């Protein structure tokens, strides 16, 4: 069996064991989920080590007939970009299980349902990044909505039902637009003798499409991915979903699922529709810059800690989208690295925020004054996560944000300069709540809060370690990402801008 299929099958095997476990034995259910996700992470690490950094194209390829009458295949494969995102997904999932050990209790359904949904979601996350058949990608893209909908609606808090429905409606709307484009591109491929959904074959179809047809098909994909990312003004579902979901679900929602949007922009928008991508680039770059600033201003004014983290993500996804459509190898590599780093920095913020909210039974920032005196380890963990989110040098997000800005500046200097104000605003939206929550006089009710438990330390330690290590040594990931980025840029007719100053001047 291909290693990608094995990776996708493992969580489903874990789900089967959970189904066989006694309903009353909650501890056994948690242990099965934890062991399963650790095994998946180990296989993911092995796959990363086995990846040939110097080879072009997809690796670990598997292709089997699925619906031959329509040319639909069960086709899998990864390049450096997909591999990094799969690695991020499989590393974060066991951390979510450990950190949210008690999140499943008190929900609408039993813990067996919670962990089954979590494992099914892990299969979907791997599948959506590994698919090389456009129809198979669409199946995973839509199917992953189901476990997320039930995780928010069944185990969240507050207005969880409304938030889950809003998330589903936005996603379904985008999915329907993408389905229309998939049907359109399939019809066009059939007309020219290629009855297939294979991404490599379809990537050459743009040479026979009219500009109008290419633009229309491009928009169907792009709007779906802009909702998923999310990009302003299609972001409004995210703050509600992040606030209502459990911290663990929020980690997977913002850390992994939203990356499907920006991954799709690279894999499908640029690859299938290079000319349309160029046509719409000025508009998309503008939307990305607005997202950077708008998300930052919303975060500065946020009074709820989970909404604050969601708003910061809107700003960060603006950076990622800007780097992708800068059409430079630096911008593309920076955006992919940003996706990985954002996954871990957001995970750190949401996990520590979850620990804080559980102890205080409140998510209002003003309720957390003076935590540094009472719970120093938790306070320092939140501080480091916040510094990573604002891309402080020495922490992982700095390298990726620097590459995005440099890659954008070489082609769109005005956009890059305006986007740098997002860095200044990031310092405000992180340091202001840090000052309010961690320093100053201890807020009444916080005097007897307990610091992180051993389980919580075990959960947050690898996240913090990854943030610090990649801040000083990002080369291992960049060695995987760079060849794939350069391949996408060159194969689709893009190139890095030539220097404008001659040597010696």
């Amino acid at each position: 069996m291909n290693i990608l299929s094995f990776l996708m099958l493992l969580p489903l095997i874990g789900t089967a064991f959970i189904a066989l476990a006694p309903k009353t034995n909650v501890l056994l259910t948690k242990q099965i989920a934890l062991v399963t996700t650790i095994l998946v992470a180990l296989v993911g690490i092995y796959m990363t080590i086995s990846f040939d950094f110097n080879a072009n194209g997809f690796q670990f390829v598997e292709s089997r007939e699925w619906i031959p009458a329509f040319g639909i295949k069960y086709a899998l494969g990864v390049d450096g970009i997909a591999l990094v995102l799969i690695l991020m997904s499989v590393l974060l999932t066991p951390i979510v299980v450990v950190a949210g050990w008690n999140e499943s209790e008190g929900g609408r359904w039993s813990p067996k349902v919670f962990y089954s949904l979590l494992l099914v979601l892990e299969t979907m996350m791997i599948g959506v990044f590994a698919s090389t058949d456009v129809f198979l990608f669409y199946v995973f893209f839509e199917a992953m909505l189901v476990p997320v909908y039930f995780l928010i609606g069944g185990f969240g808090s507050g207005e969880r039902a409304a938030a889950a429905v809003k998330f589903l409606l936005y996603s379904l709307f985008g999915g329907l637009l993408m389905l229309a484009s998939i049907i359109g591109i399939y019809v066009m491929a059939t007309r020219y003798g290629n009855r297939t959904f294979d991404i490599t074959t379809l990537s050459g179809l743009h040479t026979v499409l009219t500009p109008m047809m290419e633009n229309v098909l491009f928009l169907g994909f792009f709007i779906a991915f802009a909702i998923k990312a999310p990009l302003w003004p299609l972001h409004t579902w995210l703050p509600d979903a992040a606030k209502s979901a459990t911290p663990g679900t929020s980690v997977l929602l913002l850390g992994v699922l939203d990356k499907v949007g920006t991954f799709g922009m690279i894999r499908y928008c640029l690859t299938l529709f290079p000319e349309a991508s160029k046509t719409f680039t000025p508009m998309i770059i503008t939307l990305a810059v607005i997202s950077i600033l708008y998300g930052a201003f919303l975060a500065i004014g946020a009074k709820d800690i989970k909404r604050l983290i969601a708003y910061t993500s809107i700003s960060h996804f603006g950076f990622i989208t800007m780097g992708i459509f800068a059409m430079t190898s630096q911008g593309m590599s920076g955006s992919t690295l940003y996706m990985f780093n954002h996954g871990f920095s957001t995970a750190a913020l949401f996990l520590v925020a979850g620990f804080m909210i559980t102890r205080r039974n409140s998510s209002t920032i003003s309720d957390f004054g003076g935590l540094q005196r009472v719970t120093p380890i938790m306070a320092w963990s939140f501080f480091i996560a916040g510094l990573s989110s604002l891309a402080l040098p020495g922490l992982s997000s700095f390298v990726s944000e620097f590459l995005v800005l440099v890659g954008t500046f070489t082609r769109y200097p005005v956009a890059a300069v305006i986007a740098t104000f997002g860095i200044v605003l990031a310092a405000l939206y992180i340091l202001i709540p840090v000052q309010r929550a961690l320093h100053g006089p201890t807020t009444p009710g916080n005097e007897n809060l307990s610091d992180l438990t051993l389980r919580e330390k075990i959960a947050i330690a690898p996240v913090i370690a990854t943030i610090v290590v990649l801040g000083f040594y990002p080369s291992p990931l960049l060695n995987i990402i760079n060849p794939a980025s350069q391949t996408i840029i060159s194969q689709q007719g893009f190139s890095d801008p030539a220097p404008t100053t001659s040597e010696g001047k």
Side-chain angles (χ1 to χ4, degrees):
M1 178 183 290
N2 181 282
I3 190 170
L4 284 169
S5 292
F6 182 62
L7 202 61
M8 292 165 57
L9 182 62
L10 269 178
L12 298 181
I13 294 174
T15 305
F17 277 106
I18 288 176
L20 295 174
K23 187 175 181 179
T24 55
N25 196 338
V26 177
L27 179 60
L28 178 61
T29 299
K30 295 177 180 177
Q31 290 171 336
I32 293 172
L34 180 60
V35 170
T36 302
T37 52
I38 289 175
L39 287 175
V40 174
L42 291 175
V43 175
I45 293 171
Y46 171 77
M47 188 174 73
T48 305
I49 296 171
S50 306
F51 188 80
D52 185 353
F53 303 155
N54 299 315
N56 288 324
F58 294 110
Q59 299 183 38
F60 311 116
V61 173
E62 180 177 6
S63 181
R64 300 176 187 276
E65 297 290 346
W66 180 20
I67 310 177
F70 296 99
I72 299 173
K73 292 185 177 181
Y74 172 81
L76 305 176
V78 293
D79 60 0
I81 295 173
L83 177 67
V84 164
L85 295 177
I86 290 175
L87 181 65
M88 177 191 69
S89 306
V90 300
L91 291 179
L92 283 178
T93 308
I95 291 170
V96 166
V97 173
V98 174
W101 197 249
N102 300 317
E103 283 185 1
S104 61
E105 297 167 20
R108 184 179 297 177
W109 302 295
S110 71
K112 291 181 66 170
V113 176
F114 179 87
Y115 289 104
S116 296
L117 290 171
L118 200 65
L119 293 179
V120 170
L121 178 60
E122 186 173 32
T123 292
M124 302 299 174
M125 292 187 300
I126 298 168
V128 80
F129 292 127
S131 300
T132 56
D133 182 283
V134 180
F135 188 85
L136 182 65
F137 168 82
Y138 177 76
V139 170
F140 283 122
F141 183 87
E142 290 292 72
M144 67 196 307
L145 302 181
V146 178
V148 178
Y149 170 79
F150 286 111
L151 282 170
I152 297 174
F155 298 92
S157 59
E159 302 292 332
R160 60 187 183 184
V165 170
K166 192 174 182 180
F167 161 77
L168 192 64
L169 289 177
Y170 267 74
S171 299
L172 285 177
F173 174 71
L176 287 175
L177 290 178
M178 185 167 66
L179 178 61
S181 286
I182 290 174
I183 293 172
I185 197 170
Y186 175 73
V187 170
M188 296 305 296
T190 303
R191 182 175 298 176
Y192 289 96
N194 291 314
R195 187 186 292 270
T196 181
F197 287 93
D198 177 68
I199 180 71
T200 304
T201 304
L202 292 179
S203 64
L205 190 65
H206 67 91
T207 56
V208 296
L209 294 177
T210 65
M212 175 64 76
M213 179 63 74
E214 186 176 348
N215 291 343
V216 170
L217 296 177
F218 167 86
L219 286 176
F221 279 90
F222 179 76
I223 293 173
F225 297 141
I227 291 174
K228 184 72 76 179
L231 192 67
W232 182 89
L234 304 171
H235 66 283
T236 56
W237 62 270
L238 180 64
D240 293 337
K243 177 172 172 53
S244 300
T246 64
T249 303
S250 296
V251 169
L252 295 180
L253 184 64
L254 275 79
V256 181
L257 268 70
D258 288 358
K259 306 299 187 302
V260 176
T262 44
F263 169 77
M265 293 176 190
I266 298 173
R267 175 69 77 238
Y268 295 94
C269 291
L270 296 190
T271 302
L272 297 180
F273 314 108
E275 296 303 322
S277 298
K278 292 176 184 174
T279 301
F280 287 100
T281 286
M283 181 193 75
I284 296 169
I285 292 286
T286 303
L287 293 178
V289 172
I290 293 174
S291 288
I292 291 170
L293 302 180
Y294 182 73
F297 280 119
L298 288 178
I300 290 171
K303 299 184 184 304
D304 183 280
I305 194 167
K306 294 171 80 173
R307 282 188 177 275
L308 182 148
I309 301 170
Y311 292 142
T312 66
S313 292
I314 294 170
S315 183
H316 292 150
F317 276 105
F319 278 106
I320 296 171
T321 304
M322 186 177 71
I324 291 171
F325 282 89
M327 312 290 191
T328 62
S329 56
Q330 285 177 320
M332 186 74 69
S333 295
S335 291
T336 306
L337 185 62
Y338 210 137
M339 291 187 228
F340 186 94
N341 291 334
H342 177 265
F344 276 83
S345 63
T346 300
L349 282 172
F350 262 119
L351 293 180
V352 181
F355 301 150
M356 293 163 61
I357 293 168
T358 301
R359 284 162 171 75
R360 194 65 174 81
N361 198 26
S362 170
S363 59
T364 305
I365 295 172
S366 59
D367 287 341
F368 292 100
L371 285 187
Q372 191 176 19
R373 294 187 183 85
V374 184
T375 58
I377 299 177
M378 185 163 64
W380 274 104
S381 299
F382 187 77
F383 185 58
I384 295 172
L387 294 180
S388 175
S389 183
L390 67 82
L392 189 79
L395 298 176
S396 58
S397 297
F398 170 75
V399 180
S400 42
E401 196 162 289
F402 178 78
L403 286 173
V404 165
L405 288 172
V406 170
T408 305
F409 188 85
T410 57
R411 197 182 295 277
Y412 302 102
V414 175
V417 169
I418 296 174
T420 54
F421 286 100
I423 300 174
V424 178
L425 297 175
L428 291 176
Y429 66 63
I430 290 298
L431 296 180
I432 290 175
V434 163
Q435 173 66 27
R436 290 174 180 170
L438 307 184
H439 304 291
T442 303
T443 304
N446 290 350
E447 299 86 351
N448 298 316
L449 294 184
S450 59
D451 209 342
L452 296 185
T453 64
L454 177 61
R455 173 182 61 80
E456 291 166 339
K457 292 175 186 173
I458 291 174
I460 198 66
V463 181
I464 298 291
T466 303
I467 289 171
V468 174
V469 170
L470 289 179
F472 287 96
Y473 188 53
S475 294
L477 284 184
L478 285 174
N479 289 339
I480 300 174
I481 294 168
N482 283 338
S485 298
Q486 289 166 358
T487 298
I488 290 175
I489 290 290
S490 61
Q491 283 185 345
Q492 305 312 315
F494 306 124
S495 61
D496 291 331
T500 55
T501 304
S502 62
E503 187 177 356
K505 271 190 176 180

